[in-house]
Amino acid sequence: MAVVGGFVMWRSTRTVHWRELAPGLEFATLRGEPYCRSGSAGIAAVRLDPERVRLRVHHYTQTGGQRPFDIVEWQQLTHAVAVFNAGQFYPDFRYMGLLASGGRWLSRDAHPGYLAALVADRRGPGGGARVLDLSNQPRHPDSLAWNEVAQSFMLFDTSGTLRVRRSERIANRTVVAEDRHRRMLVMVSEGGYTLADFAWVLQHSPLQLTHAMSMDGGREAELVVARGAFRYASFGQWLSNDDHPMGVAARTPLPAVISVELP
């Protein structure tokens, strides 16, 4: 393992060993050989019971700040157990799709091509977080009775069908999924995968996933976990030599993130 910016970069074996961080919250790593095309094949996974652990959406405009924060700054600001990147955004940092935080709509413009939403804190019975397939649900913001909403695109659905085009584009990946026991999982790759390969790895892993959505990828695919003495961080790679160097200095600003918080 190596220390990057004060956070430990872990490597694991092929067997998934879960570490309990708190009641209803676990962390593990798995590996994706031979499907990783660049960098570490490690995949970090945060698994949570949505009835015991809370997910919250954050956007930098809520903080009064003049700029987006990087992932470590977001964790320090929110004091959350874990923070990961939300969906995609425009060059001016507006969110690309529906985005709600604490019952307030930060973006009411549904993206017509994004057919998934991470939702949490339901207004009514059944308050736990979910991954919604919007291909069979209304997408108007007033029809989504959830206080926390982040729209993105489906990776694979409950039938096992891949819901993205096959492409040779390689990037770090952030995926949110549900498993057979209705637990939520957040998975962030340490290295570069194609979307189709990453979906295959997750579907054939011991995680027992039923369906999954993809959040933003590439440099923006980032995760920080901090609980007691335990620290983990993964920062998206800068794959182009013409772009910026890899490493801590390459942490990219994130206008929107999702936090994992204990009651």
Side-chain angles (χ1 to χ4, degrees):
M1 63 184 177
V3 177
V4 178
F7 289 87
V8 178
M9 306 295 287
W10 287 77
R11 301 294 182 264
S12 72
T13 64
R14 292 181 182 274
T15 304
V16 179
H17 297 289
W18 290 100
R19 172 177 183 146
E20 184 179 62
L21 302 180
L25 182 63
E26 301 166 287
F27 176 88
T29 56
L30 57 154
R31 300 192 68 82
E33 291 101 341
Y35 297 96
C36 182
R37 309 280 188 94
S38 174
S40 168
I43 301 168
V46 176
R47 185 168 71 181
L48 60 98
D49 179 345
E51 300 299 332
R52 305 173 77 179
V53 178
R54 184 180 183 187
L55 294 180
R56 291 192 60 195
V57 172
H58 303 269
H59 193 271
Y60 82 100
T61 55
Q62 297 174 288
T63 69
Q66 300 301 310
R67 62 169 180 85
F69 306 103
D70 68 40
I71 193 71
V72 174
E73 291 175 320
W74 272 118
Q75 192 279 325
Q76 294 169 342
L77 181 68
T78 62
H79 303 289
V81 176
V83 180
F84 60 97
N85 61 292
Q88 301 190 60
F89 50 89
Y90 296 103
D92 63 358
F93 299 129
R94 289 179 299 118
Y95 194 75
M96 199 176 292
L98 297 171
L99 190 74
S101 173
R104 176 191 171 198
W105 285 103
L106 304 173
S107 172
R108 291 178 57 90
D109 297 325
H111 191 292
Y114 290 175
L115 298 180
L118 172 62
V119 296
D121 191 17
R122 188 178 181 89
R123 302 169 194 160
R130 299 294 309 272
V131 171
L132 301 183
D133 185 344
L134 298 180
S135 65
N136 49 31
Q137 297 198 39
R139 277 171 274 165
H140 192 278
D142 295 335
S143 67
L144 294 173
W146 304 82
N147 288 317
E148 312 289 333
V149 179
Q151 184 183 12
S152 192
F153 57 92
M154 288 296 295
L155 183 58
F156 58 86
D157 58 30
T158 54
S159 71
T161 301
L162 184 69
R163 294 275 293 274
V164 296
R165 295 178 181 177
R166 293 187 179 274
S167 166
E168 288 301 303
R169 183 176 185 273
I170 301 167
N172 288 51
R173 305 294 178 185
T174 299
V175 169
V176 184
E178 292 186 31
D179 71 8
R180 295 177 186 173
H181 304 286
R182 264 282 290 119
R183 294 172 295 200
M184 301 290 296
L185 289 98
V186 180
M187 292 142 295
V188 177
S189 73
E190 295 177 351
Y193 293 78
T194 69
L195 272 174
D197 283 350
F198 200 55
W200 195 98
V201 168
L202 296 181
Q203 287 179 296
H204 293 83
S205 74
L207 300 177
Q208 299 183 321
L209 304 181
T210 56
H211 60 294
M213 64 183 289
S214 180
M215 310 305 278
D216 204 1
R219 298 189 300 270
E220 287 76 18
E222 300 187 325
L223 169 70
V224 164
V225 183
R227 174 65 172 167
F230 180 78
R231 297 288 190 274
Y232 173 89
S234 181
F235 310 124
Q237 296 184 51
W238 299 66
L239 298 177
S240 171
N241 292 332
D242 297 327
D243 208 341
H244 289 280
M246 296 170 60
V248 176
R251 289 202 306 258
T252 190
L254 299 172
V257 297
I258 314 295
S259 65
V260 180
E261 302 181 3
L262 300 176

